[in-house]
């Protein structure tokens, strides 16, 4: 759901001095400062690159679990949603995850939250190294349905349209999808969202309800 995207540093960001602060300003405080700064910097740059077709941000709700660190692809020919939000956060892998690489076990993501969503011809695939685990659903008359849907993405593309969009909100004040992010983080929200030819690179998905008519799970030489 949002151009989840590689973050680039803002010229106006001020580096933290390793010598500044008292003993109370330890790793937890520095981690929060880095998270806040990264989320604020990443979203405006991505939104400009997307030309306001699909604005991205990052999610504080995001994932409530340790991610595997393996990205997966999601596509749909059409997504329609009511109650739409996007804002920013970091996802965390399990301690000592073999997928951490040089990331420190964290992935900067774009979280999109939709109160109610329908998707047509949903496809999800994950590269397992030499083969893909492929899931498809909603290819028939019945569409995939989800409520309280969130996706944590690093890339997103498609043709989007929003109704009553608000851009530049404080993520701590969002109200359209019932989700709020960290205060001071750039975000956006809209009454409705329509995305044609949706394609995402995701690290996590959550939903209160996820209905997948015509579900098929299989291994395949090709992904979505």
């Amino acid at each position: 759901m949002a151009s989840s995207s590689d973050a680039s540093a803002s010229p106006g960001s001020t580096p933290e001095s390793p010598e500044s602060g008292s003993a109370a300003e330890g790793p937890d405080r520095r981690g929060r400062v880095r998270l806040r700064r990264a989320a604020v910097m990443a979203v405006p740059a991505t939104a400009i690159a997307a030309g306001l077709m699909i604005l991205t941000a990052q999610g504080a709700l995001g994932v409530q679990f340790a991610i595997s660190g393996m990205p997966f692809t999601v596509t749909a020919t059409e997504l329609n949603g009511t109650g739409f939000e996007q804002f920013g956060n970091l996802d965390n892998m399990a301690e000592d995850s073999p997928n951490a690489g040089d990331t420190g076990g964290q992935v900067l993501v774009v979280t999109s939250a939709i109160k109610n969503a329908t998707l047509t011809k949903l496809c999800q695939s994950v590269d397992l190294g030499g083969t893909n685990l492929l899931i498809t659903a909603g290819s028939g008359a019945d569409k995939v349905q989800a409520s309280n849907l969130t996706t944590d993405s690093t890339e997103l593309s498609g043709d989007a349209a929003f109704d009553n969009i608000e851009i530049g909100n404080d993520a701590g004040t969002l109200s359209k999808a019932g989700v709020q992010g960290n205060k001071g983080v750039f975000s956006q929200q809209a009454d409705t969202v329509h995305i044609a030819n949706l394609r995402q690179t995701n690290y996590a998905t959550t939903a209160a309800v996820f209905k997948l008519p015509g579900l098929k799970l299989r291994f395949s030489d090709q992904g979505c």
Side-chain angles (χ1 to χ4, degrees):
M1 290 155 248
S3 6
S4 249
S5 33
D6 292 333
S8 58
S10 165
S13 62
T14 302
E16 295 294 320
S17 171
E19 270 102 67
S20 64
S22 64
E25 295 176 338
D28 290 343
R29 174 176 169 79
R30 290 197 298 270
R32 290 195 297 270
V33 171
R34 286 195 298 270
L35 166 60
R36 183 186 183 93
R37 186 172 59 219
V40 171
M41 290 188 299
V43 177
T46 304
I48 292 171
L52 298 185
M53 287 189 62
I54 302 199
L55 302 176
T56 62
Q58 306 206 313
L61 171 72
V63 185
Q64 303 293 326
F65 52 84
I67 63 171
S68 70
M70 297 178 65
F72 55 95
T73 299
V74 174
T75 65
T77 57
E78 186 176 45
L79 177 149
N80 288 288
T82 58
F84 173 76
E85 300 173 356
Q86 288 181 321
F87 54 95
N89 197 17
L90 292 172
D91 282 350
N92 293 280
M93 302 177 203
E95 188 175 356
D96 298 324
S97 169
N99 298 321
D102 59 0
T103 67
Q106 295 181 318
V107 179
L108 187 61
V109 294
V110 173
T111 292
S112 303
I114 302 179
K115 190 67 176 176
N116 294 288
T118 61
L119 300 99
T120 303
K121 295 184 177 179
L122 175 70
C123 178
Q124 176 179 302
S125 64
V126 57
D127 186 349
L128 300 177
T131 190
N132 292 275
L133 178 61
L134 186 69
I135 297 173
T136 57
S139 297
D142 296 328
K143 299 180 181 180
V144 172
Q145 299 181 39
S147 63
N148 298 326
L149 174 68
T150 69
T151 58
D152 284 6
S153 312
T154 54
E155 295 183 13
L156 186 151
S157 63
D159 301 312
F162 304 95
D163 286 336
N164 296 323
I165 191 168
E166 302 170 1
I167 301 170
N169 306 65
D170 186 300
T173 67
L174 294 175
S175 58
K176 301 292 185 180
V179 175
Q180 292 184 338
N182 292 324
K183 290 183 179 180
V185 174
F186 183 97
S187 67
Q188 68 144 351
Q189 64 178 358
D191 288 345
T192 68
V193 57
H194 169 82
I195 304 177
N197 303 314
L198 171 68
R199 186 175 188 86
Q200 293 175 292
T201 299
N202 292 346
Y203 277 84
T205 297
T206 64
V209 175
F210 210 12
K211 297 182 179 180
L212 300 164
L215 172 67
K216 294 181 180 180
L217 184 152
R218 57 200 182 277
F219 293 102
S220 173
D221 292 339
Q222 295 182 335
C224 298

